[in-house]
Amino acid sequence: MLLLLLLQISASCLWLGRSEVVTSFESSCPQFFFRETPPNEALEPESPAWICQRYKNQYYFATLYDKSRRIPVYSAYLYQPGPGKRPKTWLVEPQLVSPTYSKSMERERTLLGYFNISLEQLSKSQAILKDYKNLTGLNRGHLNPSGHHLDSSSRTATFTLTNIVPQDEKLNGGAWNNYEQQTMMRRTQGCNTTYAVVGAVPGNNYIAKGRVNKPSHIWASACCEVDTNHRKAWAVIAENDKNKVQLLTLGELEDALTQLYGGDQVSLFDRDCPRE
């Protein structure tokens, strides 16, 4: 009995990351969206999960997750780049298994080793480490990249499997990396606050024996507040099998996503963010 208690105390000390599956971003973590306005319902999948990604008791970004395709629809965050090491530890989301489980994002092995959750249970609602092993021509592509964050904790929070998709390795290391590192730095000159929403359009192909969708396109958008009266916006989109990124206006991206999803008009930001 004493040994069991010690194991439980030890496990609780390991659960440093916290990320909550919530009913809406507006009520739980609206700070990652311009004017506290998330993208509209046009992007919502059939099996959505709204995740406020929290680590060491602090929110760092928000992710709309597709539980059936096991990829994020988009991640939203504040662009605050800084120097630092790239994390190596990957985390998973217990609350996607059941809301009765801890709100903590955690290492897969810790979750399976200390708590009564099987790998089969975990894998039903999300991607697991095994899904991303032995990839050919693809790698783990962050929607919210660690390099867009200031410190160790904020960068570590991005290393959750709920924030990545199977991305073409040449694109991820080439034109997309150039957008993340160079274009964003140039475009945000003069900005006081930059809100980013980065997403993936579901495709027709899958990895891991049909478990994890390979997106057809990766896209990114940003809305920057220069001051209280002036804002600017930009966007990009890339086919997920070509090393090429197309620079767009925010309005052009929203129209492109509307066509790709084949549904209602997509709106990524509050109307005061310029579309032209």
Side-chain angles (χ1 to χ4, degrees):
M1 194 69 182
L2 178 60
L3 178 61
L4 178 60
L5 179 61
L6 289 173
L7 286 172
Q8 289 175 334
I9 293 173
S10 175
S12 67
C13 291
L14 291 171
W15 288 58
L16 297 176
R18 296 176 62 83
S19 63
E20 296 181 54
V21 175
V22 299
T23 55
S24 75
F25 292 137
E26 293 95 329
S27 62
S28 301
C29 52
Q31 64 268 35
F32 302 112
F33 304 93
F34 174 65
R35 298 272 172 88
E36 300 189 347
T37 304
N40 66 352
E41 297 178 355
L43 297 179
E44 288 182 16
E46 291 184 5
S47 300
W50 292 265
I51 306 173
C52 292
Q53 306 276 15
R54 186 164 67 175
Y55 185 73
K56 292 185 178 179
N57 295 320
Q58 182 174 338
Y59 291 129
Y60 286 106
F61 65 106
T63 300
L64 177 59
Y65 193 73
D66 186 335
K67 293 187 292 183
S68 61
R69 294 186 178 98
R70 299 180 179 87
I71 58 171
V73 178
Y74 63 76
S75 285
Y77 60 96
L78 298 179
Y79 175 74
Q80 297 172 314
K85 294 181 179 179
R86 179 181 171 89
K88 296 181 180 180
T89 299
W90 288 94
L91 306 170
V92 292
E93 176 50 67
Q95 283 214 320
L96 288 179
V97 180
S98 169
T100 61
Y101 286 113
S102 172
K103 297 175 182 179
S104 302
M105 61 168 82
E106 188 50 77
R107 296 182 184 184
E108 186 178 295
R109 67 179 183 223
T110 302
L111 188 62
L112 302 179
Y114 286 95
F115 296 86
N116 191 27
I117 299 177
S118 69
L119 189 61
E120 182 181 2
Q121 286 176 300
L122 182 65
S123 67
K124 285 181 179 179
S125 60
Q126 61 195 286
I128 57 176
L129 290 172
K130 183 180 178 181
D131 294 328
Y132 282 90
K133 288 184 177 180
N134 303 316
L135 295 179
T136 302
L138 299 168
N139 54 28
R140 303 172 186 183
H142 284 73
L143 295 190
N144 176 5
S146 64
H148 284 187
H149 295 273
L150 276 173
D151 55 36
S152 176
S153 293
S154 56
R155 288 190 293 271
T156 298
T158 68
F159 268 64
T160 166
L161 295 183
T162 56
N163 180 46
I164 66 167
V165 298
Q167 187 171 10
D168 181 271
E169 63 181 1
K170 291 182 179 178
L171 172 64
N172 193 23
W176 194 260
N177 182 67
N178 183 68
Y179 168 74
E180 291 179 336
Q181 303 303 323
Q182 304 301 324
T183 306
M184 281 291 286
M185 186 177 297
R186 290 195 305 270
R187 289 272 171 164
T188 54
Q189 292 298 314
C191 295
N192 286 322
T193 305
T194 301
Y195 298 86
V197 180
V198 183
V201 180
N204 297 320
N205 298 312
Y206 284 76
I207 65 167
K209 298 180 179 178
R211 283 182 35 79
V212 179
N213 186 266
K214 177 194 170 187
S216 63
H217 296 75
I218 313 294
W219 55 269
S221 59
C223 183
C224 144
E225 289 185 302
V226 178
D227 53 44
T228 55
N229 297 316
H230 299 89
R231 289 162 292 279
K232 59 182 180 178
W234 59 91
V236 294
I237 194 167
E239 295 180 57
N240 196 21
D241 58 1
K242 296 184 175 84
N243 186 19
K244 183 179 179 181
V245 169
Q246 182 181 4
L247 185 63
L248 304 171
T249 66
L250 176 58
E252 288 172 339
L253 175 62
E254 290 176 333
D255 289 343
L257 293 178
T258 300
Q259 290 187 342
L260 288 167
Y261 276 84
D264 295 336
Q265 176 66 39
V266 171
S267 176
L268 299 176
F269 290 96
D270 177 86
R271 64 183 181 181
D272 283 345
C273 200
R275 264 58 186 181
E276 297 300 325

mmCIF file of all heavy atoms in Angstrom, residues 53-90:
data_model
loop_
_atom_site.group_PDB
_atom_site.id
_atom_site.type_symbol
_atom_site.label_atom_id
_atom_site.label_comp_id
_atom_site.label_asym_id
_atom_site.label_seq_id
_atom_site.Cartn_x
_atom_site.Cartn_y
_atom_site.Cartn_z
ATOM 1 N N GLN A 53 -3.801 24.531 -24.667
ATOM 2 C CA GLN A 53 -2.536 23.872 -24.384
ATOM 3 C C GLN A 53 -1.819 24.586 -23.240
ATOM 4 O O GLN A 53 -1.350 25.694 -23.391
ATOM 5 C CB GLN A 53 -1.657 23.872 -25.643
ATOM 6 C CG GLN A 53 -2.324 23.282 -26.876
ATOM 7 C CD GLN A 53 -2.213 21.759 -26.941
ATOM 8 O OE1 GLN A 53 -1.891 21.100 -25.964
ATOM 9 N NE2 GLN A 53 -2.471 21.204 -28.108
ATOM 10 N N ARG A 54 -1.717 23.896 -22.105
ATOM 11 C CA ARG A 54 -1.150 24.507 -20.911
ATOM 12 C C ARG A 54 0.019 23.664 -20.405
ATOM 13 O O ARG A 54 -0.042 22.438 -20.385
ATOM 14 C CB ARG A 54 -2.214 24.631 -19.827
ATOM 15 C CG ARG A 54 -1.741 25.379 -18.594
ATOM 16 C CD ARG A 54 -2.887 25.827 -17.715
ATOM 17 N NE ARG A 54 -3.608 24.725 -17.104
ATOM 18 C CZ ARG A 54 -4.593 24.884 -16.227
ATOM 19 N NH1 ARG A 54 -4.979 26.099 -15.896
ATOM 20 N NH2 ARG A 54 -5.200 23.848 -15.705
ATOM 21 N N TYR A 55 1.067 24.340 -19.997
ATOM 22 C CA TYR A 55 2.261 23.670 -19.495
ATOM 23 C C TYR A 55 2.754 24.402 -18.248
ATOM 24 O O TYR A 55 2.842 25.636 -18.255
ATOM 25 C CB TYR A 55 3.337 23.660 -20.576
ATOM 26 C CG TYR A 55 4.579 22.885 -20.216
ATOM 27 C CD1 TYR A 55 4.571 21.497 -20.174
ATOM 28 C CD2 TYR A 55 5.763 23.549 -19.920
ATOM 29 C CE1 TYR A 55 5.704 20.781 -19.841
ATOM 30 C CE2 TYR A 55 6.903 22.837 -19.588
ATOM 31 C CZ TYR A 55 6.872 21.466 -19.547
ATOM 32 O OH TYR A 55 8.001 20.756 -19.214
ATOM 33 N N LYS A 56 3.039 23.642 -17.186
ATOM 34 C CA LYS A 56 3.444 24.236 -15.906
ATOM 35 C C LYS A 56 2.476 25.338 -15.471
ATOM 36 O O LYS A 56 2.876 26.447 -15.109
ATOM 37 C CB LYS A 56 4.879 24.764 -15.987
ATOM 38 C CG LYS A 56 5.921 23.664 -16.130
ATOM 39 C CD LYS A 56 7.331 24.220 -16.085
ATOM 40 C CE LYS A 56 8.347 23.092 -16.175
ATOM 41 N NZ LYS A 56 9.749 23.594 -16.151
ATOM 42 N N ASN A 57 1.187 25.002 -15.566
ATOM 43 C CA ASN A 57 0.107 25.873 -15.090
ATOM 44 C C ASN A 57 -0.006 27.198 -15.831
ATOM 45 O O ASN A 57 -0.524 28.185 -15.294
ATOM 46 C CB ASN A 57 0.247 26.138 -13.582
ATOM 47 C CG ASN A 57 0.079 24.877 -12.765
ATOM 48 O OD1 ASN A 57 -0.776 24.047 -13.058
ATOM 49 N ND2 ASN A 57 0.904 24.719 -11.746
ATOM 50 N N GLN A 58 0.438 27.223 -17.084
ATOM 51 C CA GLN A 58 0.280 28.425 -17.902
ATOM 52 C C GLN A 58 -0.148 28.030 -19.310
ATOM 53 O O GLN A 58 0.389 27.092 -19.886
ATOM 54 C CB GLN A 58 1.599 29.212 -17.959
ATOM 55 C CG GLN A 58 1.486 30.498 -18.768
ATOM 56 C CD GLN A 58 2.753 31.329 -18.699
ATOM 57 O OE1 GLN A 58 3.548 31.190 -17.768
ATOM 58 N NE2 GLN A 58 2.957 32.190 -19.673
ATOM 59 N N TYR A 59 -1.119 28.766 -19.852
ATOM 60 C CA TYR A 59 -1.544 28.523 -21.226
ATOM 61 C C TYR A 59 -0.513 29.081 -22.205
ATOM 62 O O TYR A 59 0.003 30.182 -22.007
ATOM 63 C CB TYR A 59 -2.893 29.189 -21.508
ATOM 64 C CG TYR A 59 -4.065 28.566 -20.801
ATOM 65 C CD1 TYR A 59 -4.942 29.350 -20.055
ATOM 66 C CD2 TYR A 59 -4.318 27.197 -20.893
ATOM 67 C CE1 TYR A 59 -6.044 28.786 -19.407
ATOM 68 C CE2 TYR A 59 -5.405 26.630 -20.251
ATOM 69 C CZ TYR A 59 -6.257 27.423 -19.506
ATOM 70 O OH TYR A 59 -7.335 26.860 -18.876
ATOM 71 N N TYR A 60 -0.267 28.323 -23.287
ATOM 72 C CA TYR A 60 0.693 28.772 -24.296
ATOM 73 C C TYR A 60 0.111 28.878 -25.699
ATOM 74 O O TYR A 60 0.599 29.651 -26.509
ATOM 75 C CB TYR A 60 1.911 27.857 -24.320
ATOM 76 C CG TYR A 60 2.807 28.075 -23.130
ATOM 77 C CD1 TYR A 60 2.857 27.155 -22.099
ATOM 78 C CD2 TYR A 60 3.573 29.226 -23.017
ATOM 79 C CE1 TYR A 60 3.673 27.357 -20.997
ATOM 80 C CE2 TYR A 60 4.391 29.445 -21.919
ATOM 81 C CZ TYR A 60 4.435 28.502 -20.911
ATOM 82 O OH TYR A 60 5.232 28.720 -19.822
ATOM 83 N N PHE A 61 -0.912 28.106 -26.017
ATOM 84 C CA PHE A 61 -1.584 28.229 -27.304
ATOM 85 C C PHE A 61 -2.864 27.410 -27.288
ATOM 86 O O PHE A 61 -3.180 26.754 -26.288
ATOM 87 C CB PHE A 61 -0.664 27.811 -28.468
ATOM 88 C CG PHE A 61 -0.243 26.357 -28.493
ATOM 89 C CD1 PHE A 61 -0.790 25.472 -29.423
ATOM 90 C CD2 PHE A 61 0.739 25.877 -27.642
ATOM 91 C CE1 PHE A 61 -0.372 24.155 -29.481
ATOM 92 C CE2 PHE A 61 1.167 24.557 -27.690
ATOM 93 C CZ PHE A 61 0.600 23.689 -28.610
ATOM 94 N N ALA A 62 -3.602 27.482 -28.384
ATOM 95 C CA ALA A 62 -4.878 26.761 -28.498
ATOM 96 C C ALA A 62 -4.871 25.913 -29.768
ATOM 97 O O ALA A 62 -4.345 26.343 -30.801
ATOM 98 C CB ALA A 62 -6.046 27.746 -28.534
ATOM 99 N N THR A 63 -5.448 24.722 -29.686
ATOM 100 C CA THR A 63 -5.484 23.816 -30.832
ATOM 101 C C THR A 63 -6.886 23.238 -31.019
ATOM 102 O O THR A 63 -7.473 22.713 -30.062
ATOM 103 C CB THR A 63 -4.506 22.632 -30.653
ATOM 104 O OG1 THR A 63 -3.179 23.120 -30.519
ATOM 105 C CG2 THR A 63 -4.574 21.682 -31.840
ATOM 106 N N LEU A 64 -7.421 23.364 -32.225
ATOM 107 C CA LEU A 64 -8.625 22.618 -32.590
ATOM 108 C C LEU A 64 -8.149 21.301 -33.197
ATOM 109 O O LEU A 64 -7.418 21.297 -34.188
ATOM 110 C CB LEU A 64 -9.474 23.386 -33.605
ATOM 111 C CG LEU A 64 -10.724 22.650 -34.119
ATOM 112 C CD1 LEU A 64 -11.674 22.290 -32.984
ATOM 113 C CD2 LEU A 64 -11.442 23.470 -35.185
ATOM 114 N N TYR A 65 -8.552 20.188 -32.592
ATOM 115 C CA TYR A 65 -8.033 18.870 -32.974
ATOM 116 C C TYR A 65 -9.131 18.021 -33.599
ATOM 117 O O TYR A 65 -10.280 18.052 -33.171
ATOM 118 C CB TYR A 65 -7.475 18.157 -31.735
ATOM 119 C CG TYR A 65 -6.646 16.942 -32.048
ATOM 120 C CD1 TYR A 65 -5.370 17.053 -32.581
ATOM 121 C CD2 TYR A 65 -7.135 15.665 -31.805
ATOM 122 C CE1 TYR A 65 -4.598 15.934 -32.865
ATOM 123 C CE2 TYR A 65 -6.378 14.537 -32.075
ATOM 124 C CZ TYR A 65 -5.105 14.680 -32.613
ATOM 125 O OH TYR A 65 -4.350 13.569 -32.895
ATOM 126 N N ASP A 66 -8.752 17.260 -34.631
ATOM 127 C CA ASP A 66 -9.653 16.338 -35.313
ATOM 128 C C ASP A 66 -9.376 14.935 -34.778
ATOM 129 O O ASP A 66 -8.380 14.299 -35.138
ATOM 130 C CB ASP A 66 -9.399 16.400 -36.822
ATOM 131 C CG ASP A 66 -10.395 15.584 -37.629
ATOM 132 O OD1 ASP A 66 -10.967 14.620 -37.076
ATOM 133 O OD2 ASP A 66 -10.586 15.888 -38.829
ATOM 134 N N LYS A 67 -10.255 14.443 -33.911
ATOM 135 C CA LYS A 67 -10.003 13.157 -33.246
ATOM 136 C C LYS A 67 -10.104 11.967 -34.192
ATOM 137 O O LYS A 67 -9.458 10.943 -33.961
ATOM 138 C CB LYS A 67 -10.990 12.980 -32.081
ATOM 139 C CG LYS A 67 -10.773 13.959 -30.948
ATOM 140 C CD LYS A 67 -11.659 13.626 -29.750
ATOM 141 C CE LYS A 67 -13.137 13.861 -30.065
ATOM 142 N NZ LYS A 67 -13.993 13.615 -28.874
ATOM 143 N N SER A 68 -10.905 12.068 -35.232
ATOM 144 C CA SER A 68 -11.051 10.932 -36.143
ATOM 145 C C SER A 68 -9.884 10.834 -37.120
ATOM 146 O O SER A 68 -9.411 9.735 -37.433
ATOM 147 C CB SER A 68 -12.376 11.016 -36.902
ATOM 148 O OG SER A 68 -12.431 12.186 -37.690
ATOM 149 N N ARG A 69 -9.399 11.979 -37.599
ATOM 150 C CA ARG A 69 -8.251 11.974 -38.519
ATOM 151 C C ARG A 69 -6.921 12.014 -37.767
ATOM 152 O O ARG A 69 -5.872 11.823 -38.342
ATOM 153 C CB ARG A 69 -8.337 13.165 -39.482
ATOM 154 C CG ARG A 69 -9.522 13.103 -40.442
ATOM 155 C CD ARG A 69 -9.431 14.243 -41.446
ATOM 156 N NE ARG A 69 -10.512 14.211 -42.420
ATOM 157 C CZ ARG A 69 -11.625 14.933 -42.343
ATOM 158 N NH1 ARG A 69 -11.814 15.736 -41.299
ATOM 159 N NH2 ARG A 69 -12.557 14.856 -43.275
ATOM 160 N N ARG A 70 -6.997 12.327 -36.486
ATOM 161 C CA ARG A 70 -5.831 12.357 -35.589
ATOM 162 C C ARG A 70 -4.780 13.384 -36.009
ATOM 163 O O ARG A 70 -3.582 13.136 -35.956
ATOM 164 C CB ARG A 70 -5.221 10.956 -35.456
ATOM 165 C CG ARG A 70 -6.179 9.937 -34.859
ATOM 166 C CD ARG A 70 -5.557 8.545 -34.738
ATOM 167 N NE ARG A 70 -6.489 7.597 -34.148
ATOM 168 C CZ ARG A 70 -7.396 6.889 -34.835
ATOM 169 N NH1 ARG A 70 -7.474 7.058 -36.167
ATOM 170 N NH2 ARG A 70 -8.210 6.060 -34.245
ATOM 171 N N ILE A 71 -5.256 14.540 -36.431
ATOM 172 C CA ILE A 71 -4.384 15.669 -36.737
ATOM 173 C C ILE A 71 -5.040 16.952 -36.224
ATOM 174 O O ILE A 71 -6.262 17.017 -36.084
ATOM 175 C CB ILE A 71 -4.093 15.826 -38.253
ATOM 176 C CG1 ILE A 71 -5.393 16.002 -39.036
ATOM 177 C CG2 ILE A 71 -3.241 14.681 -38.775
ATOM 178 C CD1 ILE A 71 -5.189 16.392 -40.500
ATOM 179 N N PRO A 72 -4.246 17.995 -35.941
ATOM 180 C CA PRO A 72 -4.850 19.277 -35.610
ATOM 181 C C PRO A 72 -5.445 19.941 -36.843
ATOM 182 O O PRO A 72 -4.908 19.809 -37.949
ATOM 183 C CB PRO A 72 -3.660 20.090 -35.070
ATOM 184 C CG PRO A 72 -2.464 19.468 -35.707
ATOM 185 C CD PRO A 72 -2.782 18.014 -35.864
ATOM 186 N N VAL A 73 -6.550 20.641 -36.651
ATOM 187 C CA VAL A 73 -7.144 21.463 -37.705
ATOM 188 C C VAL A 73 -6.354 22.769 -37.798
ATOM 189 O O VAL A 73 -5.985 23.216 -38.876
ATOM 190 C CB VAL A 73 -8.621 21.754 -37.415
ATOM 191 C CG1 VAL A 73 -9.217 22.659 -38.486
ATOM 192 C CG2 VAL A 73 -9.403 20.453 -37.294
ATOM 193 N N TYR A 74 -6.097 23.378 -36.641
ATOM 194 C CA TYR A 74 -5.241 24.549 -36.575
ATOM 195 C C TYR A 74 -4.733 24.715 -35.155
ATOM 196 O O TYR A 74 -5.305 24.185 -34.186
ATOM 197 C CB TYR A 74 -5.961 25.829 -37.032
ATOM 198 C CG TYR A 74 -7.151 26.254 -36.197
ATOM 199 C CD1 TYR A 74 -6.984 26.874 -34.949
ATOM 200 C CD2 TYR A 74 -8.455 26.068 -36.651
ATOM 201 C CE1 TYR A 74 -8.071 27.266 -34.185
ATOM 202 C CE2 TYR A 74 -9.549 26.461 -35.897
ATOM 203 C CZ TYR A 74 -9.346 27.065 -34.672
ATOM 204 O OH TYR A 74 -10.421 27.454 -33.895
ATOM 205 N N SER A 75 -3.644 25.452 -35.017
ATOM 206 C CA SER A 75 -3.155 25.919 -33.722
ATOM 207 C C SER A 75 -3.041 27.435 -33.787
ATOM 208 O O SER A 75 -2.619 27.989 -34.804
ATOM 209 C CB SER A 75 -1.793 25.307 -33.387
ATOM 210 O OG SER A 75 -1.911 23.946 -33.003
ATOM 211 N N ALA A 76 -3.436 28.101 -32.705
ATOM 212 C CA ALA A 76 -3.412 29.561 -32.624
ATOM 213 C C ALA A 76 -2.509 29.984 -31.474
ATOM 214 O O ALA A 76 -2.564 29.411 -30.374
ATOM 215 C CB ALA A 76 -4.826 30.098 -32.418
ATOM 216 N N TYR A 77 -1.681 31.007 -31.719
ATOM 217 C CA TYR A 77 -0.708 31.410 -30.708
ATOM 218 C C TYR A 77 -0.254 32.844 -30.957
ATOM 219 O O TYR A 77 -0.525 33.430 -32.011
ATOM 220 C CB TYR A 77 0.504 30.465 -30.732
ATOM 221 C CG TYR A 77 1.241 30.427 -32.058
ATOM 222 C CD1 TYR A 77 2.371 31.215 -32.282
ATOM 223 C CD2 TYR A 77 0.809 29.605 -33.110
ATOM 224 C CE1 TYR A 77 3.049 31.191 -33.495
ATOM 225 C CE2 TYR A 77 1.480 29.571 -34.315
ATOM 226 C CZ TYR A 77 2.594 30.361 -34.504
ATOM 227 O OH TYR A 77 3.251 30.339 -35.716
ATOM 228 N N LEU A 78 0.465 33.394 -29.994
ATOM 229 C CA LEU A 78 1.093 34.698 -30.140
ATOM 230 C C LEU A 78 2.532 34.486 -30.608
ATOM 231 O O LEU A 78 3.268 33.689 -30.028
ATOM 232 C CB LEU A 78 1.083 35.465 -28.815
ATOM 233 C CG LEU A 78 -0.290 35.793 -28.222
ATOM 234 C CD1 LEU A 78 -0.132 36.522 -26.901
ATOM 235 C CD2 LEU A 78 -1.119 36.618 -29.194
ATOM 236 N N TYR A 79 2.910 35.203 -31.644
ATOM 237 C CA TYR A 79 4.259 35.093 -32.201
ATOM 238 C C TYR A 79 5.226 35.875 -31.331
ATOM 239 O O TYR A 79 5.187 37.105 -31.286
ATOM 240 C CB TYR A 79 4.258 35.623 -33.634
ATOM 241 C CG TYR A 79 5.623 35.676 -34.288
ATOM 242 C CD1 TYR A 79 6.258 34.516 -34.711
ATOM 243 C CD2 TYR A 79 6.250 36.897 -34.507
ATOM 244 C CE1 TYR A 79 7.507 34.570 -35.325
ATOM 245 C CE2 TYR A 79 7.493 36.966 -35.128
ATOM 246 C CZ TYR A 79 8.114 35.797 -35.533
ATOM 247 O OH TYR A 79 9.348 35.853 -36.134
ATOM 248 N N GLN A 80 6.102 35.152 -30.606
ATOM 249 C CA GLN A 80 7.073 35.773 -29.703
ATOM 250 C C GLN A 80 8.390 34.994 -29.792
ATOM 251 O O GLN A 80 8.762 34.268 -28.874
ATOM 252 C CB GLN A 80 6.546 35.770 -28.264
ATOM 253 C CG GLN A 80 5.264 36.587 -28.091
ATOM 254 C CD GLN A 80 4.655 36.429 -26.718
ATOM 255 O OE1 GLN A 80 4.528 35.321 -26.194
ATOM 256 N NE2 GLN A 80 4.262 37.546 -26.119
ATOM 257 N N PRO A 81 9.107 35.117 -30.905
ATOM 258 C CA PRO A 81 10.301 34.298 -31.113
ATOM 259 C C PRO A 81 11.444 34.675 -30.177
ATOM 260 O O PRO A 81 11.550 35.816 -29.721
ATOM 261 C CB PRO A 81 10.674 34.602 -32.569
ATOM 262 C CG PRO A 81 10.164 35.995 -32.796
ATOM 263 C CD PRO A 81 8.886 36.079 -32.002
ATOM 264 N N GLY A 82 12.276 33.691 -29.886
ATOM 265 C CA GLY A 82 13.439 33.926 -29.050
ATOM 266 C C GLY A 82 14.442 32.808 -29.220
ATOM 267 O O GLY A 82 14.121 31.746 -29.757
ATOM 268 N N PRO A 83 15.678 33.008 -28.791
ATOM 269 C CA PRO A 83 16.705 31.970 -28.918
ATOM 270 C C PRO A 83 16.490 30.849 -27.915
ATOM 271 O O PRO A 83 15.858 31.038 -26.883
ATOM 272 C CB PRO A 83 18.000 32.730 -28.619
ATOM 273 C CG PRO A 83 17.566 33.821 -27.676
ATOM 274 C CD PRO A 83 16.197 34.225 -28.139
ATOM 275 N N GLY A 84 17.013 29.683 -28.221
ATOM 276 C CA GLY A 84 16.896 28.567 -27.286
ATOM 277 C C GLY A 84 16.997 27.229 -27.987
ATOM 278 O O GLY A 84 16.942 27.148 -29.212
ATOM 279 N N LYS A 85 17.142 26.188 -27.192
ATOM 280 C CA LYS A 85 17.285 24.843 -27.728
ATOM 281 C C LYS A 85 15.938 24.273 -28.139
ATOM 282 O O LYS A 85 14.906 24.572 -27.555
ATOM 283 C CB LYS A 85 17.928 23.925 -26.685
ATOM 284 C CG LYS A 85 19.367 24.281 -26.337
ATOM 285 C CD LYS A 85 19.942 23.308 -25.324
ATOM 286 C CE LYS A 85 21.384 23.656 -24.988
ATOM 287 N NZ LYS A 85 21.956 22.724 -23.983
ATOM 288 N N ARG A 86 15.968 23.420 -29.152
ATOM 289 C CA ARG A 86 14.772 22.720 -29.607
ATOM 290 C C ARG A 86 14.500 21.553 -28.657
ATOM 291 O O ARG A 86 15.390 20.740 -28.394
ATOM 292 C CB ARG A 86 14.999 22.205 -31.025
ATOM 293 C CG ARG A 86 13.837 21.434 -31.628
ATOM 294 C CD ARG A 86 14.213 20.959 -33.029
ATOM 295 N NE ARG A 86 13.233 20.047 -33.584
ATOM 296 C CZ ARG A 86 12.176 20.421 -34.276
ATOM 297 N NH1 ARG A 86 11.964 21.692 -34.491
ATOM 298 N NH2 ARG A 86 11.338 19.526 -34.769
ATOM 299 N N PRO A 87 13.273 21.451 -28.116
ATOM 300 C CA PRO A 87 12.952 20.346 -27.203
ATOM 301 C C PRO A 87 13.048 18.986 -27.904
ATOM 302 O O PRO A 87 13.033 18.896 -29.133
ATOM 303 C CB PRO A 87 11.508 20.639 -26.780
ATOM 304 C CG PRO A 87 11.317 22.091 -27.045
ATOM 305 C CD PRO A 87 12.157 22.394 -28.253
ATOM 306 N N LYS A 88 13.143 17.936 -27.107
ATOM 307 C CA LYS A 88 13.238 16.581 -27.649
ATOM 308 C C LYS A 88 12.120 15.665 -27.162
ATOM 309 O O LYS A 88 11.894 14.609 -27.738
ATOM 310 C CB LYS A 88 14.589 15.970 -27.282
ATOM 311 C CG LYS A 88 15.784 16.693 -27.892
ATOM 312 C CD LYS A 88 17.089 16.033 -27.501
ATOM 313 C CE LYS A 88 18.277 16.761 -28.125
ATOM 314 N NZ LYS A 88 19.568 16.126 -27.741
ATOM 315 N N THR A 89 11.433 16.055 -26.112
ATOM 316 C CA THR A 89 10.406 15.200 -25.512
ATOM 317 C C THR A 89 9.046 15.448 -26.141
ATOM 318 O O THR A 89 8.601 16.593 -26.248
ATOM 319 C CB THR A 89 10.313 15.465 -23.994
ATOM 320 O OG1 THR A 89 11.570 15.167 -23.395
ATOM 321 C CG2 THR A 89 9.229 14.588 -23.366
ATOM 322 N N TRP A 90 8.370 14.377 -26.554
ATOM 323 C CA TRP A 90 7.045 14.481 -27.158
ATOM 324 C C TRP A 90 5.976 14.115 -26.139
ATOM 325 O O TRP A 90 6.134 13.195 -25.350
ATOM 326 C CB TRP A 90 6.938 13.564 -28.382
ATOM 327 C CG TRP A 90 7.735 14.071 -29.530
ATOM 328 C CD1 TRP A 90 9.010 13.733 -29.871
ATOM 329 C CD2 TRP A 90 7.320 15.046 -30.488
ATOM 330 N NE1 TRP A 90 9.416 14.434 -30.987
ATOM 331 C CE2 TRP A 90 8.403 15.245 -31.381
ATOM 332 C CE3 TRP A 90 6.144 15.774 -30.679
ATOM 333 C CZ2 TRP A 90 8.338 16.131 -32.453
ATOM 334 C CZ3 TRP A 90 6.078 16.658 -31.738
ATOM 335 C CH2 TRP A 90 7.165 16.836 -32.614
#
